[in-house]
Amino acid sequence: MLILGIDTSCDDTTASVVEDGVNIISNIVSSQTEIHEKYGGIVPELASRRHIEMIWPVVDEAMKGAGVGLQDLSAIAVCNGPGLIGSLLVGCSFAKAICYSKNIPLVAVNHLEGHIFSSFLEEPRPEFPFLSLIVSGGHTSLHRIDGFGRYRELGKTRDDAAGEAYDKVSKLLGLEYPGGPIIDKLAQNGDHDAIDFPRAYLPESFDFSFSGLKTAVKIAVSSQQSAVKDSELRTLNSELINDIAASFQAAVVDVLVRKTEWAIKKERVRRVTLSGGVAANSELRKRMREMGEERYVEVFIPSMALCTDNAAMIAAAGYHHFITGNIAGMDLNPKAYLPL
Ligand code: KG4
Ligand code: ZN
């Protein structure tokens, strides 16, 4: 059974053909990083315009790459939220138009549900129940997953998403967008104990908060900037920048790993999956695996291409909607805010 997945929820135009919800036949991602990097973040209007230009070529490439035609598809799965409304509209309208004209069933997939199902696209696959930590530029959440459609939110960020914090700290340090990979790299040459940044553990809940940490980095940077000119910050203090990057990263990773560890204990589950762009972070991957070994918990982390936004995860989740008869109508509308 072949499903075409489509995701245009943020700044990547993506399409993928997946067989039986688990085997990736093709997986195409057209990134918009070049368009947005000069603004230090995603510009929603530019994102939707680029999606309009790219949606057909990306879908065409996914279909040709898989060597299939529209008549071979059992369904088209499209992400209808949460995300940027103008971006979501492009994918949803495109999927609806094809489904209507070719009489193909349409299924709607929540973007977070897609991230959860990215773990099923590679071996070994998790068994239910498991905890799912989603850490991306737009989301940071912890869910308990008991089966398809059986999701319980344990906590989510109260302010910035983890990736958003990385991107904002990168900007504060005069570095580029997206900040996650850059800070990850610089942190490897820094001292993670150099600055004792705050860790918001919020002990009574599984929610997260990263805005205080971002402010603490801002204060640390400002105190240095008063000593040197902004433009010289990087060249004069590359050692300091590495230390700030390492100390910031240690604070983010400590919170993510500790809170996941507490949730594992409370929920009495033996498996945890990690997904979203920040799951590409080298320190988070390492520390989460170490925690798994210490606690005898299986940790599932998809390969980098499946951590960041992709349509294979939408097709994987869409497969379950399709086989359980959860077909969307032509009145499907995208939603910027769409709880799981
Ligand atoms: O999942 P994703 O591709 O898009 C969203 O749905 O947001 O995640 C993008 C986010 C960005 O904030 C980026 O800075 C972050 O993931 N990211 C990383 C790393 N690679 C990407 N954060 C930390 N370390 C990385 N290596
Ligand atoms: Zn995402």
Side-chain angles (χ1 to χ4, degrees):
M1 187 179 289
L2 296 175
I3 308 250
L4 168 68
I6 295 176
D7 187 305
T8 59
S9 58
C10 194
D11 62 333
D12 291 324
T13 317
T14 68
S16 168
V17 176
V18 172
E19 184 190 31
D20 299 333
V22 287
N23 297 322
I24 299 175
I25 314 291
S26 65
N27 192 17
I28 309 299
V29 176
S30 168
S31 164
Q32 300 184 1
T33 303
E34 262 178 40
I35 294 172
H36 303 286
E37 63 189 354
K38 56 178 167 291
Y39 303 102
I42 296 160
V43 182
E45 176 65 19
L46 297 182
S48 31
R49 287 178 192 208
R50 186 67 177 158
H51 282 309
I52 290 172
E53 289 167 3
M54 294 312 296
I55 185 74
W56 178 239
V58 165
V59 168
D60 195 38
E61 199 181 335
M63 297 294 288
K64 286 192 175 132
V68 299
L70 292 173
Q71 71 283 355
D72 300 315
L73 299 175
S74 296
I76 295 180
V78 69
C79 169
N80 69 320
L84 301 172
I85 196 67
S87 291
L88 289 163
L89 257 172
V90 178
C92 284
S93 308
F94 186 87
K96 276 161 65 172
I98 297 193
C99 287
Y100 182 71
S101 60
K102 298 288 177 186
N103 204 20
I104 299 170
L106 174 71
V107 292
V109 175
N110 183 301
H111 187 75
L112 298 178
E113 189 178 38
H115 274 302
I116 292 166
F117 275 80
S118 62
S119 295
F120 290 88
L121 291 163
E122 285 172 338
E123 305 257 15
R125 300 187 173 95
E127 281 175 32
F128 300 111
F130 59 85
L131 292 190
S132 162
L133 176 68
I134 303 171
V135 271
S136 73
H139 312 279
T140 296
S141 61
L142 194 55
H143 287 84
R144 180 189 165 107
I145 313 297
D146 283 297
F148 172 70
R150 295 171 61 203
Y151 319 130
R152 182 155 58 83
E153 184 185 278
L154 304 176
K156 61 173 190 267
T157 185
R158 293 182 183 176
D159 38 60
D160 292 346
E164 191 180 355
Y166 266 95
D167 296 336
K168 287 179 177 170
V169 163
S170 178
K171 206 170 178 180
L172 282 172
L173 292 173
L175 305 169
E176 273 145 37
Y177 172 87
I182 301 169
I183 292 184
D184 191 0
K185 203 162 163 223
L186 296 180
Q188 283 160 28
N189 298 317
D191 173 6
H192 61 259
D193 288 326
I195 304 166
D196 188 16
F197 285 129
R199 281 124 170 100
Y201 285 115
L202 311 175
E204 298 306 313
S205 96
F206 289 115
D207 281 350
F208 301 91
S209 168
F210 295 105
S211 70
L213 171 60
K214 178 191 65 194
T215 307
V217 174
K218 195 172 181 178
I219 292 166
V221 172
S222 314
S223 67
Q224 291 302 319
Q225 278 175 332
S226 56
V228 291
K229 277 191 245 152
D230 293 14
S231 58
E232 292 171 350
L233 186 67
R234 181 156 195 197
T235 43
L236 288 184
N237 293 287
S238 62
E239 206 177 304
L240 173 74
I241 288 181
N242 292 347
D243 284 351
I244 293 177
S247 303
F248 160 77
Q249 178 156 290
V252 173
V253 172
D254 275 354
V255 171
L256 293 174
V257 175
R258 291 281 291 280
K259 298 207 74 156
T260 305
E261 197 174 358
W262 294 340
I264 284 167
K265 255 171 102 177
K266 176 160 181 282
E267 294 294 323
R268 296 167 183 270
V269 292
R270 312 273 6 126
R271 296 166 209 96
V272 56
T273 67
L274 195 57
S275 57
V278 184
N281 185 266
S282 58
E283 185 66 15
L284 180 61
R285 295 169 86 91
K286 180 173 142 253
R287 292 272 309 280
M288 204 58 101
R289 288 206 169 100
E290 284 169 2
M291 184 273 288
E293 274 166 30
E294 278 164 27
R295 295 222 160 257
Y296 301 103
V297 163
E298 280 181 279
V299 177
F300 299 84
I301 310 177
S303 54
M304 303 283 192
L306 295 176
C307 284
T308 48
D309 285 352
N310 65 86
M313 67 185 197
I314 301 299
Y319 167 80
H320 293 277
H321 284 285
F322 180 66
I323 60 172
T324 51
N326 189 17
I327 307 298
M330 284 298 126
D331 55 353
L332 176 74
N333 274 324
K335 293 199 165 62
Y337 174 73
L338 185 63
L340 196 54

